[in-house]
């Protein structure tokens, strides 16, 4: 074998997009996945995918505005060049998906229909019924199957990625994986390896994610030395259907199509919701955020729903927390046409028709903004240099990360329908650089000394065997997982408090200790799901720790990370002078906070197993940070004061708002 | 296949703390047809699981795995099964629940108990080789998708502008077909789709075995799901460009001519895909194509 090969771990949208493009670039790909790639978690996405389009353009929209919304929605925590590149690619990506046969909903004239999602004022989201993720995944799966028939791609389904193989210089030369049917180990020599293994929702026990979203692969890369960024930023989706085995998502598109969130003004009003008169209903999102209404960004919607139930005590039910999400004012035919699939889910699992009766929903863990740290190469236009081997590369040379398991695109909070985009974008975009990297190494991985691979394989074999030998343990892995999930959900979701985070960190260490005493109920070597799960559980602890430690150390509120003690409330004064004074103070504090905390949290796995955390600057060269004021009392005044300061700073040529002056030229809306 | 298993839905202090509370220590009796590995004898095993509100068959299997004891208290290896999304969209969890082929994640215990309060019976699909317990090998199902070239023959993934314009009516026609989750329920129910299970000979290489299996698959019935996919792609302006190749595939050995039109498939499809409509369309298209081919000769 004299040609370089690439190993792709994970066949969700990101992994499939990369595989398709790599095959097209002529490189052979081994594609490894825990499940048949067509069954990857991406099938669950319901709502849609964002891009600027001909219609929104005529309403004043542009790639630049999509970029701005994404950065503003993410509270400025993401490096800006990759986001800019992504939003510029977005229209082309949706066009490509259209060519791949995705059955996007259509207008009467035959164009793609669009809907509005949270955090924007434009109808940017293309959708295919209520199963957009499924449709996009299938389109890419089909192309990859086509490449498989051509012989360019070889799939390894029901295989578990265990460890990247690094040479003495620290370069990644492939990986050790395990066949989950025969339990056999195998090493893959690869000139570049791409991790595309999705989110880590299972660290929280139950979430909206699928059962393979354990974060195990990212954790294994992290434990091998890859840095992990912004781990503490976990998105809690405002609207999920509480369930015993899973918290099933109720897509944001339910609100996008006009769904209204409310609670009865009387706590636990026992009446049928349909009998509760308008005056007795509190549409709290519409009331508190007149501009965005029910479509405020996710972190805000989540906190408001959480708050109305806990602080205000207005939960619909007494014994469990939930609010109404009401679609009953919308005609049945419209609902069936636009939301059919997701309403069926509600009906299927709750046995109630949401077209007739308001749904009961509550927030649930949904998305990991954080993930493996990846690099990029900036170009002169402020976007990315295509073809650079640095794009999407982790700090381990020749090891890449794309999709939900990288940390790159969504900052402190992800906007709806932006993730399918970032997954496909990162997959397509990184391919040319990956090829360059694969061709760039001195020696082909396949010609690398066999000792290198044999040593890594032996390590994994002995880990496996020692687990199987643990027949007399005292702990049950499933029980430990339940405890871990409950703990993480309690302390590291909507509201974070330092005492709790500190205590939880100690508890996670105890759980990890107890894990070492797990007993396996299956010691066989054939389709042993017990041992596969126990391994994945063991790899959840390092992720849990970096989430907790990041949350503890980050002393501010930003996007999904919220510490009540550090919140910056709106203006309280009633007189004008007082208000103005408070607005000035607010802006001072905002500036200080930006200086101190507008930083990526970067965790490295320490020798003792604890995460070592450093904070690194964020590239805000295109768009200077500005206060995120959705719905804040006195927000207009603060905005005014802020703008004044910016103007002054620009006049002085420098000043506190770093970057404003020199980026003014780039920052204009692109034509 | 990695999965989390919750041993019990005890009080949960989570953000979404709406987990079901055990109502009473009522037990659900479950009978599972187990098989340790391919080629081995299958055997029945009984389990008893405490009843909880809003349970589905997946949560029963989760409790069984966490407990790892049979009904009479004997330690047993956890039952193996497939699942991922838990919302009937990934197609992983197909099995026979009380004799009926369906997705385990939407098999709600309360409903099952209404039909048969005595017991829930779980068996692996019978038309695919058992890997272990409830896990079966469904590679043949994906092979059928290759046979009908179920993809768009695009030039490449570089930007070439948007796809063809499509009327809302065509979209509404195509969309249901495009929601096929490759679960295989339609194949399990089909009298024409019979099990193909091969064993590797001692002196056979992996590659040779792979080849032999593939050719066995290619002689076997292609299945309703693949016929329907062929029709989906043949109805799209770009997909149509290789329509003849697909018609060739569905009329070759193991093709649509084997379909006895028993319509079992459509009755069990969890996505209510209009399979008989696809089959009828395919039949007509195949006839037209056969005549055309006759004249072209
Ligand atoms: C219910 C729900 C609805 C959503 N709706 C939307 C939406 O409308 N719009 C939007 O933009 N985003 C949405 N999202 C987010 C979006 O779906 C995900 O972020 C995205 O699909 C992730 O894709 P991915 O390719 O990164 O990973 P995934 O699709 O999760 O795929 C991961 C792959 O990695 C493999 N893998 C994992 N671990 C290992 C291992 N150890 N070894 C080998 N393989 C491994 C898996 O088998 C799988 O193939 C939604 C998310 C959820 C949970
Ligand atoms: S109609 Fe055809 S494909 Fe469907 S079950 Fe009957 S024989 Fe099988
Ligand atoms: S057609 Fe229906 S039953 Fe058959 S594989 Fe597809 S979804 Fe399953
Ligand atoms: S688990 Fe995905 S269909 Fe049942």
């Amino acid at each position: 074998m004299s040609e370089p090969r690439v190993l792709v771990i994970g066949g969700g949208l990101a992994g499939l997009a990369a595989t398709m493009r790599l095959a097209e670039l002529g490189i052979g790909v081994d594609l490894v996945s825990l499940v048949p790639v067509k069954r990857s978690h991406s099938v669950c996405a319901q709502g849609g995918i964002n891009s600027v389009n001909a219609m929104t353009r005529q309403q004043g929209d542009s790639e630049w505005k999509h970029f701005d919304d994404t950065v503003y929605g993410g509270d400025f925590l993401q490096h800006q060049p990759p986001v800019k590149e992504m939003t510029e690619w977005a229209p082309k990506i949706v066009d490509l998906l259209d060519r791949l046969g995705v059955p996007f909903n259509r207008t009467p004239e035959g164009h793609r229909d669009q809907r509005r999602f949270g955090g924007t004022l434009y109808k940017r989201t293309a959708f295919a019924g209520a199963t957009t993720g499924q449709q996009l995944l299938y389109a890419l799966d089909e192309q990859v199957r086509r490449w498989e028939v051509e012989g360019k791609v070889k799939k390894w389904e029901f295989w578990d990625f265990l460890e990247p193989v690094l040479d003495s210089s620290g370069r990644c030369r492939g990986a050790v994986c395990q066949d989950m049917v025969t339990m056999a180990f195998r090493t893959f020599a690869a000139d570049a390896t791409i991790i595309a293994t999705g989110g880590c929702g299972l660290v929280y026990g139950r979430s909206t994610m699928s059962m393979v979203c354990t974060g195990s692969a990212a954790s294994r890369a992290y434990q091998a030395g890859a840095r992990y960024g912004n781990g503490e930023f976990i998105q809690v989706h405002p609207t999920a259907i509480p369930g015993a085995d899973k918290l099933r998502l109720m897509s944001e598109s339910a609100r996008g199509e006009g769904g209204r969130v409310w609670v009865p003004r009387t706590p636990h009003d026992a009446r049928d919701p349909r009998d509760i008169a308008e005056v007795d209903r509190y549409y709290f999102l519409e009331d508190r955020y007149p501009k965005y209404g029910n479509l405020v960004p996710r972190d805000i919607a989540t906190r408001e729903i959480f708050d109305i139930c806990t602080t205000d005590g207005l939960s619909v039910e007494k014994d469990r927390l939930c609010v109404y999400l009401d679609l009953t004012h919308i005609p049945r035919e419209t609902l069936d046409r636009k939301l059919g699939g997701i309403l069926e889910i509600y009906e299927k699992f709750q046995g109630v028709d949401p077209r007739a009766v308001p749904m009961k929903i509550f927030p649930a863990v949904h998305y990991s903004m954080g993930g493996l740290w990846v690099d990029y190469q900036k170009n002169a236009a402020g976007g990315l240099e295509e073809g650079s081997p640095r794009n999407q590369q982790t700090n381990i040379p020749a090891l890449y990360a794309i999709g939900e398991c990288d940390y790159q695109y969504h900052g402190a909070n992800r906007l709806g329908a932006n993730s399918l985009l970032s997954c496909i974008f990162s997959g397509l975009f990184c391919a040319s650089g990956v090829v360059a990297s694969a061709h760039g190494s001195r020696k082909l991985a396949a010609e690398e000394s066999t000792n290198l691979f044999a040593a890594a394989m032996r390590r994994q074999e002995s880990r496996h065997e020692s687990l199987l030998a643990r027949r007399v343990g005292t702990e049950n892995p499933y029980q430990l997982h339940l405890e871990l999930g409950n703990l993480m959900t309690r302390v590291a979701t909507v509201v974070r408090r330092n005492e709790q985070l500190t205590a939880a960190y100690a508890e996670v260490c105890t759980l990890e200790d107890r894990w070492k005493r797990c007993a396996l109920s299956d010691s066989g070597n054939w389709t042993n799901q017990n041992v596969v799960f126990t391994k994945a559980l063991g790899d959840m602890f390092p992720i849990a720790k970096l989430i907790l430690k990041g949350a503890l150390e980050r002393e501010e509120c930003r996007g999904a990370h919220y510490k009540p003690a550090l919140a910056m409330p709106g203006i309280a004064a009633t007189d004008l002078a007082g208000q103005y004074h408070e607005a000035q103070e607010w802006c001072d504090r905002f500036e200080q906070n930006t200086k101190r905390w507008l930083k990526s949290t970067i965790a490295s796995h320490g020798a003792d197993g604890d995460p070592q955390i450093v904070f690194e600057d964020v590239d805000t060269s295109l768009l200077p940070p500005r206060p995120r004021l959705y719905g804040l009392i006195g927000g207009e005044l603060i905005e005014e004061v802020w703008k004044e300061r910016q103007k002054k700073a620009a006049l002085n040529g420098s000043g506190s708002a770093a970057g404003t002056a020199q980026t003014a030229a780039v920052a204009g809306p692109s034509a | 296949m990695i999965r989390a298993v919750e041993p019990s839905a005890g009080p949960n202090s989570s953000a979404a703390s709406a987990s079901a509370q055990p109502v009473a220590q009522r037990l659900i009796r479950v009978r599972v047809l187990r098989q340790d590995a391919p080629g081995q004898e299958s055997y029945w095993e009984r389990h008893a699981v405490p009843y909880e509100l809003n349970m589905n068959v997946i949560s029963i299997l989760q409790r069984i795995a966490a407990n790892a004891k049979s009904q009479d208290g004997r330690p047993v290896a956890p039952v193996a099964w497939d699942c991922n999304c838990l919302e009937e969209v990934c197609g992983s969890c197909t099995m026979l629940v009380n004799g009926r082929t369906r997705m385990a994640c939407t098999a709600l215990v309360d409903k099952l108990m209404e039909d048969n309060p005595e017991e829930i019976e779980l068996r692996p699909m019978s038309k695919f080789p058992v890997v272990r317990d409830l896990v079966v090998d469904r590679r043949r199902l994906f092979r059928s998708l290759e046979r009908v070239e179920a993809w768009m023959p695009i030039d490449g993934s570089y930007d070439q502008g948007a796809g063809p314009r499509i009327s809302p009516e065509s979209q509404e026609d195509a969309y249901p077909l495009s929601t096929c989750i490759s679960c295989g329920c339609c194949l399990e129910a089909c009298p024409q789709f019979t099990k193909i299970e091969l064993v590797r000979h001692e002196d056979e290489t992996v590659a040779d075995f792979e080849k032999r299996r593939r050719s066995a698959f290619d002689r076997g019935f292609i299945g309703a799901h693949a016929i329907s996919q062929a029709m989906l792609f043949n109805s799209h302006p770009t997909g149509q460009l290789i329509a003849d190749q697909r018609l060739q595939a569905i009329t070759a050995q193991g093709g649509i001519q084997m379909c006895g039109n028993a319509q079992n498939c459509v009755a069990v499809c969890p996505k209510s895909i209009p399979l008989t409509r696809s089959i009828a369309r395919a039949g007509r298209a195949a006839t037209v194509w056969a005549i055309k081919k006759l004249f072209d000769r």
Side-chain angles (χ1 to χ4, degrees):
Chain A
M1 194 168 66
S2 53
E3 286 291 313
R5 277 187 87 74
V6 173
L7 174 63
V8 178
I9 317 282
L13 283 172
L16 290 175
T19 303
M20 171 179 78
R21 185 51 77 82
L22 285 165
E24 196 172 339
L25 291 170
I27 211 157
V29 180
D30 289 299
L31 176 57
V32 172
S33 169
L34 289 172
V35 293
V37 293
K38 193 178 180 178
R39 310 200 191 286
S40 292
H41 169 62
S42 292
V43 287
C44 290
Q46 302 167 348
I49 179 166
N50 285 338
S51 80
V52 175
N53 51 75
M55 197 183 69
T56 64
R57 243 182 248 288
Q58 294 165 60
Q59 298 162 344
D61 196 12
S62 64
E63 281 82 352
W64 183 264
K65 283 198 175 154
H66 184 189
F67 164 68
D68 188 316
D69 282 341
T70 305
V71 171
Y72 183 64
D75 226 347
F76 291 86
L77 194 63
Q78 58 280 66
H79 295 304
Q80 295 180 358
V83 182
K84 175 169 187 277
E85 195 67 37
M86 171 180 84
T87 53
E88 280 169 9
W89 273 56
K92 292 186 269 185
I93 286 176
V94 177
D95 276 351
L96 168 64
L97 294 166
D98 190 13
R99 281 171 55 225
L100 290 179
V102 172
F104 285 118
N105 279 45
R106 297 287 161 171
T107 63
E109 202 184 324
H111 297 293
R112 295 188 298 257
D113 200 1
Q114 319 269 347
R115 61 160 65 114
R116 200 185 127 209
F117 251 54
T120 182
L121 298 170
Y122 298 102
K123 283 192 172 180
R124 261 188 213 132
T125 309
F127 60 102
T131 61
T132 310
Q134 182 194 23
Q135 301 309 319
L136 302 193
L137 188 83
Y138 288 3
L140 295 177
D141 172 67
E142 288 149 13
Q143 293 302 316
V144 167
R145 185 166 295 109
R146 191 177 166 206
W147 285 112
E148 200 185 0
V149 171
E150 303 265 317
K152 267 286 169 225
V153 173
K154 176 146 179 56
K155 279 188 201 151
W156 305 81
E157 293 172 330
F158 296 113
W159 280 71
D160 190 8
F161 159 81
L162 298 176
E163 172 186 332
V165 176
L166 311 187
D167 68 14
S168 55
S169 75
R171 190 180 176 85
C172 180
R173 307 302 276 151
V176 185
C177 301
Q178 183 174 25
D179 183 334
M180 301 200 304
V181 174
T182 66
M183 307 314 282
F185 292 84
R186 186 182 192 282
T187 54
F188 292 78
D191 299 282
T193 302
I194 305 179
I195 301 193
T197 50
C200 61
L202 260 75
V203 172
Y204 287 82
R206 291 175 305 151
S207 71
T208 61
M209 288 190 217
S210 297
M211 302 314 270
V212 299
C213 300
T214 60
S216 62
S219 174
R220 288 162 191 168
Y222 163 72
Q223 291 174 69
R227 308 197 309 158
Y228 199 100
N230 294 341
E232 70 271 31
F233 291 92
I234 295 286
Q235 181 167 79
V236 179
H237 194 285
T239 58
I241 314 162
D245 52 339
K246 180 181 183 180
L247 310 174
R248 294 178 178 86
L249 181 79
M250 180 43 58
S251 165
E252 191 167 311
S253 48
R255 284 174 292 137
E257 294 300 339
R260 303 177 72 188
V261 177
W262 61 276
V263 287
R265 289 191 186 269
T266 324
H268 327 308
D269 195 324
R271 282 179 289 173
D272 184 312
R274 288 168 294 188
D275 298 336
I276 300 178
E278 282 291 312
V279 289
D280 295 335
R281 298 175 174 197
Y282 184 25
Y283 294 94
F284 53 99
L285 289 177
E286 294 170 30
D287 184 65
R288 295 174 186 177
Y289 303 91
K291 187 163 162 200
Y292 286 87
N294 292 291
L295 283 173
V296 287
R298 292 191 173 166
D299 54 332
I300 293 172
T302 297
R303 218 147 40 233
E304 291 291 351
I305 294 173
F306 190 77
D307 242 38
I308 202 101
C309 292
T310 54
T311 318
D312 302 323
L314 288 176
S315 170
V316 168
E317 287 181 19
K318 203 164 159 210
D319 314 319
R320 65 169 192 180
L321 305 179
C322 56
V323 301
Y324 287 124
L325 171 54
D326 198 340
L327 292 165
T328 56
H329 55 286
I330 303 169
R332 240 165 213 282
E333 309 77 65
T334 314
L335 291 176
D336 281 337
R337 189 158 40 84
K338 298 204 158 166
L339 299 171
I342 61 172
L343 300 186
E344 273 162 31
I345 291 184
Y346 189 86
E347 212 168 356
K348 233 169 214 169
F349 289 94
Q350 300 302 104
V352 176
D353 180 2
R355 302 163 195 87
V357 184
M359 297 181 277
K360 289 179 191 165
I361 54 97
F362 198 69
V365 166
H366 181 55
Y367 186 84
S368 355
M369 269 79 70
L372 294 169
W373 177 90
V374 291
D375 199 4
Y376 60 87
Q377 169 103 46
K378 196 167 162 177
N379 70 8
L384 299 189
E385 191 67 47
E386 204 186 344
S388 165
R390 281 175 57 193
N391 295 328
Q392 302 292 143
Q393 186 172 243
T394 68
N395 55 304
I396 298 176
L399 182 67
Y400 291 78
I402 55 175
E404 187 168 340
C405 76
D406 80 36
Y407 89 125
Q408 180 117 294
Y409 296 92
H410 306 290
N413 171 53
R414 168 177 75 89
L415 292 189
N418 253 357
S419 166
L420 299 181
L421 175 63
S422 66
C423 288
I424 299 173
F425 169 72
S426 56
L428 286 180
F429 187 79
C430 77
S432 53
V434 168
V435 171
S437 166
H439 281 284
S441 64
R442 262 177 310 106
K443 169 157 98 177
L444 286 182
E447 292 156 7
E448 200 56 77
S449 127
T450 50
N451 290 344
L452 183 66
F453 294 102
M457 185 140 118
R458 262 199 309 279
R459 221 176 5 255
Q460 288 303 327
E461 279 169 347
S462 76
R463 184 188 192 210
H464 181 73
E465 278 151 21
S466 72
L467 273 175
L468 289 190
R470 268 202 228 154
R471 241 156 291 171
V472 283
T474 48
E475 299 286 351
N476 180 329
Y478 305 109
Q479 179 61 37
L480 290 181
H481 180 238
L482 183 74
E483 289 180 34
L484 175 70
N486 285 347
L487 176 67
M488 292 298 288
T489 308
R490 185 160 51 78
V491 307
T493 48
V494 186
V495 174
R496 288 132 185 230
R497 295 188 168 84
N498 286 352
E499 330 73 78
Q500 291 186 339
L501 293 166
T502 312
Y505 192 91
E507 269 183 74
V508 169
C509 294
T510 313
L511 287 173
E512 193 175 21
D513 250 13
R514 288 170 57 194
W515 176 83
K516 294 180 186 136
R517 296 192 295 278
C518 271
L520 264 67
S521 44
D522 185 355
S523 55
N525 250 334
W526 184 263
T527 320
N528 185 338
Q529 300 179 332
N530 194 226
V531 70
V532 173
F533 174 73
T534 306
K535 273 185 212 178
L537 174 67
D539 293 320
M540 287 182 206
F541 299 115
I543 300 285
K545 284 194 209 170
L546 70 84
I547 291 173
L548 292 173
K549 195 156 180 206
L552 184 64
E553 291 196 10
R554 182 174 285 279
E555 289 286 44
E556 65 155 352
C557 295
R558 186 178 299 279
H561 174 69
Y562 181 77
K563 289 186 171 173
L566 299 169
M568 289 172 54
I571 288 173
T574 44
D575 63 307
L576 230 104
Q579 287 177 342
Y580 191 73
H581 180 72
E582 275 186 44
Q584 289 288 2
E585 278 182 349
W586 200 100
C587 290
D588 289 343
R589 197 173 152 199
F590 176 79
E591 278 184 23
Q592 283 159 13
N593 191 66
T594 302
K595 226 177 259 157
R596 175 66 189 89
W597 287 114
L598 184 54
K599 308 249 190 243
S600 317
T601 318
I602 308 292
S604 312
H605 188 64
D608 54 358
D610 287 339
Q612 308 299 313
I613 290 187
V614 293
F615 289 96
E616 292 185 357
D617 285 341
V618 176
D619 182 338
T620 56
S621 56
L622 301 170
L623 200 62
R626 62 178 190 273
R628 206 162 161 256
L629 296 166
Y630 299 102
L632 200 69
I633 296 168
E636 296 79 16
L637 185 61
I638 296 176
E639 197 173 349
E640 234 171 76
V641 169
W642 179 255
K643 281 188 178 151
E644 255 168 53
R645 286 190 182 199
Q646 295 297 101
K647 249 186 247 154
K648 254 189 229 148
L651 282 179
N652 296 340
S654 66
S656 51
T660 319
Q662 85 264 22
T663 54
V666 198
S670 50
Chain B
M1 279 177 86
I2 284 192
R3 71 185 43 92
V5 173
E6 312 297 350
S8 81
N12 186 326
S13 50
S14 67
S17 68
S19 76
Q21 300 286 322
V23 170
Q25 279 308 305
R26 205 169 113 205
L27 291 178
I28 307 165
R29 301 196 181 285
V30 190
R31 201 156 65 106
V32 188
L33 187 62
R34 301 198 60 171
Q35 181 176 334
D36 296 342
Q40 305 215 347
E41 286 295 311
S42 56
Y43 56 95
W44 287 103
E45 190 173 274
R46 288 174 192 281
H47 291 267
V49 175
Y51 174 85
E52 296 159 35
L53 267 180
N54 291 334
M55 273 187 128
N56 56 7
V57 165
I58 299 290
S59 45
I60 289 202
L61 287 163
Q62 289 178 334
R63 305 297 180 262
I64 290 179
N67 189 29
K69 284 199 186 76
S70 68
Q71 188 180 327
D72 44 22
R74 215 166 18 94
V76 292
V79 175
W81 85 100
D82 254 349
C83 73
N84 193 24
C85 69
L86 305 193
E87 46 194 62
E88 203 175 72
V89 67
C90 77
S92 296
C93 65
T94 320
M95 58 184 75
L96 303 181
V97 180
N98 289 347
R100 197 177 140 230
T101 177
R102 59 179 301 175
M103 308 318 288
C105 60
T106 41
L108 304 182
V109 166
D110 287 335
K111 288 242 174 68
L112 295 172
M113 303 290 267
E114 272 169 30
D115 301 342
N116 179 9
E118 293 306 312
E119 170 177 82
I120 294 172
E121 181 200 272
L122 305 178
R123 276 188 288 150
M125 297 173 87
S126 67
K127 302 288 179 73
F128 296 94
V130 170
V131 173
R132 179 173 182 179
D133 299 337
L134 303 171
V135 179
V136 295
D137 176 354
R138 279 175 284 179
R139 271 177 287 189
R140 178 176 168 199
L141 180 161
F142 292 111
R143 173 61 193 160
S144 289
L145 298 180
E146 294 177 3
R147 286 166 74 182
V148 299
E149 301 183 52
W151 51 69
M152 285 299 158
I154 53 157
D155 293 343
S157 66
Y158 288 88
D159 184 27
Q160 309 238 27
R165 258 205 242 171
I166 305 239
S167 71
E169 294 72 32
S170 318
Q171 190 271 349
E172 277 158 34
D173 209 36
Y175 178 74
L177 305 193
S178 191
T179 59
C180 167
I181 58 177
S182 300
C183 62
C185 286
C186 56
L187 308 175
E188 178 68 24
C190 172
Q192 300 303 324
F193 192 91
T194 48
K195 180 159 158 180
I196 296 177
E197 182 165 22
L198 302 179
V199 181
R200 191 172 139 203
H201 305 318
E202 258 171 42
D203 54 353
E204 199 175 28
T205 65
V206 175
D208 283 345
F209 176 50
E210 198 55 53
K211 227 195 238 154
R212 185 160 62 90
R213 181 167 52 201
R214 176 152 297 199
S215 85
F217 284 172
D218 290 355
R219 287 191 307 272
F221 182 43
I222 196 163
H225 73 304
I227 295 172
S228 184
Q229 287 296 302
M231 289 305 102
L232 167 64
F233 285 90
N234 277 7
S235 70
H236 185 278
T238 311
Q240 242 163 42
L241 300 174
I242 54 167
D244 284 0
Q245 278 157 249
R246 293 197 194 92
L247 291 176
Q248 166 91 51
I250 62 168
T251 52
Q253 188 178 10
I256 190 169
Q257 65 283 0
M258 282 184 80
C259 165
N261 217 1
Q263 312 210 351
N264 295 6
C265 47
V266 74
V268 296
C269 174
K271 296 280 122 178
S272 313
I273 294 171
L275 292 169
T276 31
R277 197 185 73 193
S278 290
I279 292 169
R281 278 188 192 174
R284 279 195 301 274
T287 312
V288 173
W289 183 72
I291 294 169
K292 185 173 150 253
K293 221 171 54 166
L294 208 65
F295 283 108
D296 282 353
R297 253 205 287 214

